[in-house]
Amino acid sequence: MKKTKEHVIKTIESGSIAEELELEPGDVLVAVNGRPVKDVFDYHYLINEEYLEILVRKADGEEWELEIEKEYEDDLGIEFENGMMDDYRSCSNKCIFCFIDQLPKGMRDTLYFKDDDSRLSFLQGNYVTHTNMSDEDVQRIITYRMEPINISFQAMHPELRCQMLHNRFAADALKKVDRFYEAGIVMNGQIVLCKGVNDGKELEYSIEQLVKYLPYLQSVSVVPVGLTRYRDGLYPLEPFTKEDACAVLALIHSWQDRLYKEYGSHFIHAGDEWYLLAEEEIPTEDSYDGYMQLENGVGMIRLLQEEVREELAALAGDDCERRVTIATGELAAPILEELGQEIKAKYPKLDLQVKAVKNEFFGGKITVAGLLTGQDLKKQLADLNLGEELLLTEHMMKSGEQVFLDDVTVEELSGALQVPITIVKSDGKSFLDAVLGRSEN
């Protein structure tokens, strides 16, 4: 018989219900309203109620039974050592576009774990294929209203989806989407586009089929496959060209026009990379329907531009005199250059340089800032006058840590380059504050 996992408390939020109850890190949550907690789905569902009885085991083995009266859906303020409160489920697919399969050997072990866990979709916004989701999982999502659920569709032709995921059950997984639709569960979708595989007529067909899930499927993003130089023995995929990107955007825009007239939603969205590759203007803010897919790189550039310009418009400008460098990926460098010029128009004594760093670690076909490594930054910035500060986006960091993908730390990089490094949040105010050397309020 499988032993039930213990739900050990990691941290208690200051001012929370849990703090008032004198719960502490190391305590174990045993049950809620007399029911054992299987995983994070159970936990979030069970604690929603206004009246709770929770059973907690203290570090010395003493058990506390606590009664709680609170507002409906108020959180207790507990973070557990295992955020899933259960084992993580690894991916059962062998996708032709999988980025993890394109990693070199010798990186940290956690980078090679392939997750495809529906609970991560709810917790962290991950996009999952649903190929390893049981009927029980589907029913729990419906019962607990764990939404939105983010789904990696890739292709809507059943045979093609099986081929792309290299999983004979990949087509059956789409039936789970039907169940979510029938239950009114809010969803978002993603298509990783592979040249000559699911683009062109296949993309058109996929969009036609996905439209049928409106309004519960509220958005679908189309992003280009990322290709590293470590693809020996993998499915032969080619990078998209400028001409390809223009064709993808033309198809998406034609659907956006039709769908907005009918549903008041653009629904299908192109990742920012397509516009930069096609050398086309980034769409206006109202084209992004509230930026529902920022984490997928959809609208990030437009949002940053709008936020920086709004903050800048409220400033009078002054004689701020400082030299600072922004290092970023080749894709975003021209955008940051443009914003830099707008900032310098109000701050003429500001010496701001933007350095585009080539991704030699993964290969030149990877141009986004989020996949730059510490060693590439160290090598390519070593002989430059970086000024008094180097600014890097938070997207380069391992979540919650100041560590790059190759395990180089920010402290190590700062020491090697002999310059202070500031990790900048992705919003416009933080960006402008960092450039001007202002402490965040």
Side-chain angles (χ1 to χ4, degrees), residues 206-219:
S206 292
I207 297 172
E208 285 177 356
Q209 298 305 305
L210 291 171
V211 166
K212 298 175 183 177
Y213 293 118
L214 273 162
Y216 301 117
L217 179 60
Q218 57 184 359
S219 71

Side-chain angles (χ1 to χ4, degrees), residues 127-413:
Y127 282 77
V128 294
T129 65
H130 293 181
T131 52
N132 64 3
M133 183 186 293
S134 67
D135 287 340
E136 180 189 0
D137 292 331
V138 173
Q139 190 54 53
R140 285 204 302 156
I141 289 171
I142 293 170
T143 300
Y144 296 172
R145 307 303 298 182
M146 293 297 181
E147 53 189 348
I149 290 293
N150 297 330
I151 305 168
S152 285
F153 287 104
Q154 319 316 358
M156 292 302 288
H157 263 129
E159 297 82 3
L160 180 57
R161 191 170 199 256
C162 290
Q163 175 193 334
M164 292 188 70
L165 274 57
H166 208 261
N167 185 328
R168 61 194 178 96
F169 301 110
D172 292 338
L174 293 175
K175 297 174 184 176
K176 297 163 188 174
V177 182
D178 294 332
R179 290 181 62 185
F180 292 142
Y181 174 77
E182 290 163 6
I185 296 293
V186 175
M187 300 172 280
N188 292 299
Q190 170 190 263
I191 294 174
V192 176
L193 211 61
C194 300
K195 186 173 179 176
V197 180
N198 62 336
D199 56 348
K201 291 182 179 179
E202 287 296 343
L203 176 58
E204 177 110 44
Y205 177 80
S206 292
I207 297 172
E208 285 177 356
Q209 298 305 305
L210 291 171
V211 166
K212 298 175 183 177
Y213 293 118
L214 273 162
Y216 301 117
L217 179 60
Q218 57 184 359
S219 71
V220 176
S221 62
V222 179
V223 297
V225 61
L227 302 175
T228 79
R229 61 190 176 95
Y230 301 98
R231 288 196 57 82
D232 290 347
L234 299 179
Y235 190 95
L237 291 174
E238 298 178 13
F240 287 98
T241 65
K242 177 181 177 179
E243 183 181 3
D244 296 329
C246 290
V248 169
L249 291 176
L251 176 60
I252 289 175
H253 292 161
S254 68
W255 273 97
Q256 286 183 331
D257 292 342
R258 291 160 56 183
L259 294 172
Y260 191 76
K261 289 175 183 176
E262 187 171 352
Y263 296 99
S265 165
H266 295 87
F267 182 67
I268 186 82
H269 298 277
D272 292 357
E273 291 178 64
W274 295 114
Y275 293 97
L276 299 177
L277 181 57
E279 298 179 7
E280 290 190 15
E281 186 72 23
I282 299 290
T284 57
E285 190 168 29
D286 58 5
S287 299
Y288 288 105
D289 297 337
Y291 298 112
M292 289 182 283
Q293 298 235 10
L294 277 177
E295 294 303 316
N296 244 342
V298 176
M300 291 182 69
I301 291 174
R302 174 54 68 196
L303 181 59
L304 178 65
Q305 290 173 326
E306 294 295 326
E307 289 179 340
V308 169
R309 288 164 182 165
E310 182 179 350
E311 290 287 333
L312 195 58
L315 300 175
D318 56 36
D319 292 331
C320 171
E321 190 169 349
R322 101 193 206 97
R323 179 177 176 82
V324 63
T325 299
I326 300 172
T328 188
E330 294 177 295
L331 205 63
I335 300 296
L336 298 187
E337 284 270 17
E338 180 184 334
L339 286 175
Q341 293 302 319
E342 294 178 29
I343 295 169
K344 287 193 283 187
K346 279 198 171 181
Y347 296 88
K349 291 189 177 181
L350 177 68
D351 187 349
L352 172 64
Q353 66 170 333
V354 176
K355 171 62 178 175
V357 177
K358 183 179 178 64
N359 199 321
E360 295 180 353
F361 184 87
F362 285 117
K365 298 185 180 88
I366 300 295
T367 57
V368 295
L371 292 174
L372 285 175
T373 58
Q375 57 191 273
D376 277 344
L377 290 162
K378 187 186 302 184
K379 178 181 177 182
Q380 296 177 47
L381 302 177
D383 299 325
L384 299 180
N385 178 0
L386 301 173
E388 56 197 85
E389 195 173 7
L390 173 63
L391 307 181
L392 302 174
T393 175
E394 63 179 348
H395 296 301
M396 295 181 190
M397 302 293 104
K398 179 183 177 183
S399 179
E401 300 180 35
Q402 293 207 338
V403 180
F404 297 93
L405 279 172
D406 57 351
D407 282 341
V408 173
T409 67
V410 172
E411 185 179 5
E412 289 171 7
L413 181 62

Side-chain angles (χ1 to χ4, degrees), residues 391-395 422-427 430-432 434:
L391 307 181
L392 302 174
T393 175
E394 63 179 348
H395 296 301
T422 295
I423 304 302
V424 185
K425 294 179 181 178
S426 58
D427 63 281
S430 297
F431 176 81
L432 189 56

